[in-house]
Amino acid sequence: MKKVARELLGVLVSAIMLLQFPIYALAETYHIEDGDIYVHATDSEQKVEQGGQEFVDNNPVITNEANAASDNHVSITADAGSTAHVTISNVSIASSVAAIQTYGDGSVEIKLVGDNHVTSGDTYAGIEKDNNGSLTISSDSGNAYLEATGGRRGAGIGGHDGQDVDDIIITGGNIIADGGQYAAGIGGGYGGDGTNIKISGGKVTAYGGEQAAAIGGGSQGEGAYITIEGNATVTATGGSEAAAIGGGRTEAGTNIKISGGEVTATGGELAAAIGGGHDGAGTNITISGGEVNATGGQLGSGIGSGGGNSGTATGITISGGTVTAVGGKYFPGIGGMQCTDDVIISGSATVNAAGGAGDDRHGAGAAIGTASDGSSPGTIVNGTEKLNSSGLYDTGRINIYPAGTTIAQMSTTQPTTTYIGTIDPNAVIPPNPSGQIDKVTVNDNNNNAGEPNNNVTGDTAPVDEAHAFVASTDAKLQEHINKILALINSGKIAEANALIANGILLDTGRWYTFNKDTCALIEKASQLGIKVTLHYEYDHTKYSTTIPAKTTINPVSLCDAKGFVGFMNFYKYYGGFVRSN
């Protein structure tokens, strides 16, 4: 009896120990029907808890045993400096709270296998990001599927009601993200910003809820620092009054970068496809590669600002890829209600653009530029006044289509205007000889700065008079700048804007060198919104180069150690073309 008692006692002690301490490496697959699942990653290990039992498991697989959706949920916590790793495989959750929720100061990676569906309750996101580090969704197979649906005011992937969210990364999988009412497909909940969102792979389809972006901000939330790259395929449809990629209702879409993949974006009513929601600005939008198709909402730009009188577009740069953009009614394909900067198209980019149609109340929108200003019906307003194509390679094209042309119609419609680049990207740019000032011949047609063609003029100058010419140029640049500032200070804004829009032409017969003083004046003119164009000749070839308004490459920064910069270095950094006359 004593032996049996001792054996029974040993079994009892072992059972108690199993209840008190983690079970190591006894489980890899967890069925969501068996209860809520809690994953906790520390700097030393990762534990999984379910049904009162705890296991150490660095890569748990969560799945369904039955076909029906479970009402349980998954909670994932990552401590600072750690990353939690979880795989969901053929999982189906329909929870009254967040189906999958993340916590902690660390990062979380969710890997997809098979066919997965998660739906959350009222105010929660489908996959709710509450951790401070990044949330990455990945897949080793392009066939792995995830549909994430937020509850009312909750994002498909991102924030709950009222929550800003950032640092969402998608690298693979076939993903559909449905935002709940007023919440983004991927990004902020109702009233929340969506920032630092990167999609670098997989197939992603995102739908914004009412007034919310597909990718970016919820209703009244900004969408910022959104990146699409690699081989990602992205289809984004904004909710009413919200961009497809960018801002929710009343908010901006800013610092949006597309460098690869295929992007199809359709803005909600009154919003841009890529950029701002209704009354929201579209700023710092950069496209350097990939294939982009952007269709603005009924009143919204293809790329730029949303509808409304306060929507502005600034800092739109396209340097590669194929970009097709059409505006909604009255609105530009690329630009905004107010397009305050040039749209800079350069490199090997191919751009197809059409403004929205006009009607008996307003004129049509520009293909590239500003929305209709209410001029005579059916006319294109300011069709190309905001286009800077001086840096376009000879392989680049800009096709301007009639207002009202849809993307589908472009294949059977002839463009009204085509701009063809002239820069050979393989051309050798002559070096800048430090301090050299060559003989200068300046076009003298008796027009001074500020007159209709704004030529800054001077006399034919041999080399010993070149310094005098530079001084004269400086004086006339300063005179032109002072005139504009005086008009602004006296409230004559329309007259000042007219001078700014005309720009300044420096027309010389030969290549030569500017010093820092001249460069500083050109820089000052640029920051006022004045384009400064150089016409010159080098090695029997005539060139034209434009330093654009609001340039981010300041002329002074191009000067060498001795304080000089040659015209061909301007050509190198700002682009240009070979003139025929």
Side-chain angles (χ1 to χ4, degrees), residues 262-324:
E262 298 179 14
V263 178
T264 301
T266 305
E269 184 180 8
L270 305 174
I274 301 174
H278 181 209
D279 271 333
T283 63
N284 296 333
I285 299 170
T286 302
I287 301 174
S288 59
E291 181 176 341
V292 178
N293 293 291
T295 302
Q298 183 176 347
L299 291 173
S301 305
I303 299 172
S305 78
N309 292 329
S310 60
T312 59
T314 181
I316 300 175
T317 302
I318 302 170
S319 60
T322 299
V323 178
T324 303

Side-chain angles (χ1 to χ4, degrees), residues 345-380:
I345 302 175
S346 63
S348 58
T350 295
V351 174
N352 307 299
D359 58 19
D360 57 357
R361 299 193 320 170
H362 295 290
I368 299 172
T370 60
S372 168
D373 63 0
S375 63
S376 58
T379 61
I380 297 178

Side-chain angles (χ1 to χ4, degrees), residues 4-18:
V4 172
R6 284 196 299 270
E7 290 176 349
L8 289 173
L9 180 61
V11 170
L12 180 59
V13 170
S14 298
I16 292 172
M17 291 178 67
L18 286 172

